[in-house]
Amino acid sequence: MFDELKLQAAACAEEIIEVAKLKAGQILVVGCSTSEILGKKIGTESSPDAALKVFEGIYEVASKYGIFVAAQCCEHLNRAIIIEADAVPFPDFSNVVPQPKAGGSFATAAYKTFKNPVAVEEIKADAGIDIGFTMIGMHLKRVAVPVRLQNNRIGSATVLAARVRPKFIGGERAVYDKNLY
């Protein structure tokens, strides 16, 4: 079962990276409820095994493109972010190490896998994957645009996604660079 979760997660990552036109060095934020993946209510059935497989699927795809993965912690850690230090060169670090029931299993898997993990209070990511209604919007740049993924399930969890685009300034007669979004 867990190997199937890895494949589903990889498919989601491939799709959002393509749709959002992410480039090396950009950030993909991921919020993940393993409880929802397993068909339970968010926050009730944390699964380190499921989290590791989902994380591996996303991380392997993102790494192939040089994209940083940011793992959103659960509400017990105020939705802090676990990310590679290289992705955030001058952050205000938080002194926390996520655990399965205090930060979440997905953030714990990220912390254990990253070469140089750090916790930060917030980021402004270029795209995001929300697995099981974890509310990643606070960590996206403005302006976030919903993306309807074909690969919109991981286990029993609904997957929502978003990309960002530059702000439009100038009204209806302005001309916009379509290559930016």
Side-chain angles (χ1 to χ4, degrees):
M1 170 195 166
F2 293 135
D3 289 332
E4 179 65 23
L5 298 177
K6 182 177 178 178
L7 294 173
Q8 291 170 340
C12 288
E14 281 282 355
E15 189 174 352
I16 189 61
I17 288 168
E18 179 183 329
V19 171
K21 299 178 184 168
L22 294 180
K23 296 172 181 51
Q26 290 187 301
I27 298 173
L28 174 67
V29 64
V30 179
C32 177
S33 169
T34 54
S35 302
E36 292 280 334
I37 288 171
L38 298 176
K40 307 293 183 188
K41 182 180 174 211
I42 192 169
T44 62
E45 195 74 30
S46 190
S47 171
D49 294 331
L52 181 59
K53 287 301 183 181
V54 172
F55 178 79
E56 286 173 350
I58 293 168
Y59 187 63
E60 288 172 12
V61 170
S63 295
K64 178 174 71 173
Y65 295 101
I67 295 163
F68 291 105
V69 174
Q72 179 181 271
C73 294
C74 73
E75 65 184 291
H76 297 105
L77 294 184
N78 301 319
R79 304 209 189 288
I81 293 290
I82 305 301
I83 194 164
E84 288 281 8
D86 290 346
V88 286
F90 304 106
D92 287 330
F93 297 119
S94 296
N95 188 11
V96 68
V97 176
Q99 303 299 311
K101 293 194 180 276
S105 292
F106 187 83
T108 302
Y111 193 90
K112 289 179 178 179
T113 303
F114 290 156
K115 293 178 187 84
N116 190 11
V118 295
V120 296
E121 211 172 339
E122 61 185 358
I123 58 162
K124 297 295 180 195
D126 303 286
I129 301 172
D130 183 319
I131 305 164
F133 305 107
T134 58
M135 305 296 287
I136 60 165
M138 65 192 287
H139 294 299
L140 291 170
K141 291 177 182 172
R142 294 183 181 200
V143 171
V145 178
V147 174
R148 288 184 180 266
L149 298 178
Q150 294 296 313
N151 299 291
N152 62 4
R153 307 286 301 172
I154 297 178
S156 295
T158 299
V159 177
L160 307 173
R163 63 177 178 82
V164 298
R165 64 157 175 79
K167 295 177 186 178
F168 291 153
I169 299 172
E172 64 185 51
R173 294 189 178 153
V175 177
Y176 303 108
D177 184 348
K178 300 280 189 206
N179 293 321
L180 292 178
Y181 58 93

